[in-house]
Amino acid sequence: MKNGSGNTNTKLILLHPYIQKQSSTTRLWLLAFVSFFTIIFLLTLLYTRDTIIPSKNTSVAAAVAAVVTSAAGVSPSPTTTTNSNLPTTTINALLHYASRSNDSFHMSYGEMKSISDVLRRCAPPCNLLVFGLTHETLLWKALNHNGRTVFVEENRYYAAYFEEIHPEIDVFDVQYTTKAHEAGELVAAAKEAAGNECRPVQNLLFSDCKLGLNDLPNHVYDVDWDVIFVDGPRGDANEGPGRMSSIFTAAVLARSKKGGSPKTHVFVHDYYRDVERLCGDEFLCRENLVESNELLAHYVLDKMDKNSTRFCSDRKKRSVSSLS
């Protein structure tokens, strides 16, 4: 176009190909960035679902456990100190639904009832120590209503996660230094040192016995435990830690009580396995076995004199009833 002075005012716009190329490159990098984090998110979700997040059965157990406090007529506050027992109907309902779980590793009704019956008879406040976080963890907490329940877990990440989503649960992680295939050698060494570092009455916090757990919080060793349940750590593979240390520790804690009831009920799960039977015979002792089946053994141990150097006596073993 021409203006009044006859000068031409023409504007020329050039599109350099670099601009288009830069825009395409930016979009490609953005797409790659988003794709990378999408893949990471999906992998994390799958891994978390399979290894950490509890199954829907655990969620159901949590919901049932939440009803327990209202069924007993008390507030669900963790500071509640009233020593009231759960109604029998509530206990039976908990056992019924826990035993009907679709989880292939859950305990049977008979096994859970054996432990439940002991907790029901335990004078409140009852002290319960459990080795292992399992499908029944929330059940044990609920059944030991207004008692002290402490769990010991080998996987510190799972322990932290479980305590985060269930803050009412007391969980402590412990590092096991044993291997299941070493059971025979370790048990033999502990028997030889029963008069010294592996004696049956001692404060394990200062123990040098390889089978003794000495890295738990100090107060765990000061509690007079009424019931101890060994359901951990892993013991189904030779390279797993095995349950030698947890059974030995249970035996020493029961023999070393300073107050409370002189007797301690010790339950050992997966009793059909060689390690559980071997350590049960050597440290919990056949004379203290009151009932058992292939999956669960129930021992009742008396506290011992501080100068004792033998776990088992020469008394003839008592008759053992069968768990239904």
Side-chain angles (χ1 to χ4, degrees), residues 28 53 163 207 287 299:
L28 287 175
I53 295 179
E163 197 168 32
S207 177
E287 70 247 23
Y299 298 84

Side-chain angles (χ1 to χ4, degrees), residues 127 222-226 254 256-264 303:
N127 295 319
D222 296 330
V223 175
D224 295 314
W225 299 104
D226 299 297
S256 305
K257 293 174 69 170
K258 295 181 174 60
S261 171
K263 296 184 180 297
T264 302
K303 65 180 181 181

Side-chain angles (χ1 to χ4, degrees), residues 294-322:
E294 288 189 351
L295 291 175
L296 185 69
H298 177 194
Y299 298 84
V300 179
L301 278 63
D302 290 301
K303 65 180 181 181
M304 285 184 169
D305 182 83
K306 64 179 181 179
N307 297 319
S308 300
T309 58
R310 300 177 62 182
F311 283 89
C312 304
S313 69
D314 292 328
R315 291 181 300 169
K316 184 178 180 181
K317 69 177 183 180
R318 67 175 71 180
S319 58
V320 180
S321 60
S322 176

Side-chain angles (χ1 to χ4, degrees), residues 111 114 229 267-269 271 291-297 323:
E111 295 170 88
S114 179
F229 179 36
F267 292 88
V268 178
H269 197 215
Y271 189 59
E291 56 181 353
S292 68
N293 61 18
E294 288 189 351
L295 291 175
L296 185 69
L323 282 166

Side-chain angles (χ1 to χ4, degrees), residues 114 118 226-228 230 247 250-251 254-255 263-269 271 275-292 296-302 312 318 320 323:
S114 179
V118 171
D226 299 297
V227 183
I228 302 176
V230 178
I247 293 176
R255 267 59 175 263
K263 296 184 180 297
T264 302
H265 295 262
V266 179
F267 292 88
V268 178
H269 197 215
Y271 189 59
V275 171
E276 280 74 1
R277 284 186 180 270
L278 171 64
C279 294
D281 287 346
E282 297 295 344
F283 302 126
L284 302 176
C285 309
R286 293 286 297 179
E287 70 247 23
N288 299 320
L289 183 63
V290 295
E291 56 181 353
S292 68
L296 185 69
H298 177 194
Y299 298 84
V300 179
L301 278 63
D302 290 301
C312 304
R318 67 175 71 180
V320 180
L323 282 166

Side-chain angles (χ1 to χ4, degrees), residues 145-207:
H145 185 59
N146 288 324
R148 177 185 306 198
T149 306
V150 171
F151 297 88
V152 178
E153 168 61 28
E154 63 176 306
N155 187 328
R156 66 175 181 173
Y157 300 106
Y158 185 58
Y161 174 79
F162 199 92
E163 197 168 32
E164 181 180 354
I165 62 175
H166 297 291
E168 75 280 8
I169 301 292
D170 291 326
V171 186
F172 301 107
D173 65 276
V174 64
Q175 298 299 313
Y176 292 91
T177 60
T178 58
K179 298 293 183 184
H181 66 82
E182 304 172 335
E185 178 183 347
L186 290 171
V187 169
K191 288 177 62 178
E192 290 183 6
N196 196 0
E197 64 267 20
C198 295
R199 56 191 180 278
V201 179
Q202 60 173 307
N203 187 338
L204 286 171
L205 182 62
F206 309 104
S207 177

